[in-house]
Amino acid sequence: GQQLNQSPQSMFIQEGEDVSMNCTSSSIFNTWLWYKQDPGEGPVLLIALYKAGELTSNGRLTAQFGITRKDSFLNISASIPSDVGIYFCAGRLGAGNMLTFGGGTRLMVKP
Amino acid sequence: NAGVTQTPKFRVLKTGQSMTLLCAQDMNHEYMYWYRQDPGMGLRLIHYSVGEGTTAKGEVPDGYNVSRLKKQNFLLGLESAAPSQTSVYFCASSYEITGLAGIWGYNEQFFGPGTRLTVL
């Protein structure tokens, strides 16, 4: 099946630093999504990208849909302790709203 | 409006035992999904349903069965649990966005809080 490679697998940063993570795929997608999972909770949608080249922000978060439709990145600026969690990318291609998820990036923020 | 709820939150089974996980949503969504989450592997789709009375296999369906007898509920069954089924299970729901020309999009999936299952 389709595979999404998400990197890095984990990050341990100082509060206030900027963070960047990305996903790449061997297949194209029509939609890229970024979710955040807090400990003990289900994933929550952060940003949705629907067009190649699209750059979208949500507060301190910025994500882009790659021109080739095979990649996406998520940036977090000025990290704070509540940014801790696991971030997942997901891609969608075609009908039925089926998503393929990346393996996740575990973010740890040191106050 | 509770969103997506899952029952139970935690469960420990012995190999060979059976159990059913319940997912309920109060948003009148057509689509429902069951995923499993394992370390470093993201979420993998087990089964899904595009409406009441319909189910379909996802990426990793073996060892699981599902039923969607009511629109708001999606049940995941393990007939004979195995240690390989130790995982965190998430349910999600979504709906189609339709227009005069038919389906033109989907809202994004809402996830439940998860069920942590351990099979000894």
Side-chain angles (χ1 to χ4, degrees):
Chain A
Q2 297 168 335
Q3 297 288 330
L4 285 186
N5 299 310
Q6 187 171 346
S7 64
Q9 285 188 324
S10 63
M11 304 179 73
F12 190 27
I13 62 169
Q14 193 77 30
E15 181 177 0
E17 290 183 352
D18 297 342
V19 173
S20 184
M21 59 192 78
N22 68 82
C23 267
T24 59
S25 171
S26 57
S27 305
I28 61 172
F29 288 102
N30 289 332
T31 300
W32 281 95
L33 307 169
W34 285 92
Y35 285 86
K36 183 194 177 194
Q37 183 181 26
D38 290 325
E41 302 291 333
V44 174
L45 182 68
L46 296 174
I47 291 180
L49 302 158
Y50 299 106
K51 287 175 57 177
E54 180 180 356
L55 183 71
T56 297
S57 294
N58 178 7
R60 294 179 294 107
L61 279 61
T62 302
Q64 184 157 31
F65 191 146
I67 288 288
T68 65
R69 295 166 63 193
K70 292 184 178 182
D71 63 323
S72 177
F73 72 75
L74 174 71
N75 289 341
I76 305 173
S77 62
S79 59
I80 59 179
S82 61
D83 291 334
V84 165
I86 303 177
Y87 292 79
F88 290 101
C89 63
R92 177 171 64 222
L93 176 67
N97 205 13
M98 297 303 109
L99 299 179
T100 300
F101 283 84
T105 295
R106 182 179 296 273
L107 179 64
M108 293 160 280
V109 180
K110 184 178 180 182
Chain B
N1 190 331
V4 180
T5 58
Q6 293 183 232
T7 310
K9 291 192 186 309
F10 304 94
R11 185 71 185 269
V12 178
L13 292 179
K14 294 181 179 178
T15 297
Q17 287 184 316
S18 62
M19 78 162 295
T20 300
L21 283 67
L22 171 64
C23 175
Q25 52 94 5
D26 60 1
M27 298 174 285
N28 201 35
H29 285 176
E30 289 291 335
Y31 290 59
M32 297 187 74
Y33 314 82
W34 275 107
Y35 293 89
R36 60 177 289 171
Q37 181 181 26
D38 301 295
M41 300 186 72
L43 287 87
R44 292 182 293 168
L45 184 64
I46 304 171
H47 285 279
Y48 65 98
S49 168
V50 300
E52 181 178 324
T54 72
T55 62
K57 294 180 180 180
E59 180 186 354
V60 288
D62 294 342
Y64 306 95
N65 56 75
V66 288
S67 64
R68 183 99 181 266
L69 299 180
K70 293 182 179 181
K71 186 177 184 178
Q72 63 268 32
N73 295 337
F74 195 28
L75 278 64
L76 178 71
L78 286 73
E79 289 187 349
S80 180
S84 62
Q85 293 178 304
T86 294
S87 188
V88 181
Y89 291 85
F90 288 99
C91 176
S93 71
S94 70
Y95 63 86
E96 297 167 345
I97 303 171
T98 57
L100 292 176
I103 300 170
W104 62 269
Y106 307 89
N107 85 312
E108 304 316 332
Q109 295 180 20
F110 289 88
F111 283 83
T115 295
R116 183 173 295 275
L117 175 66
T118 301
V119 183
L120 303 176

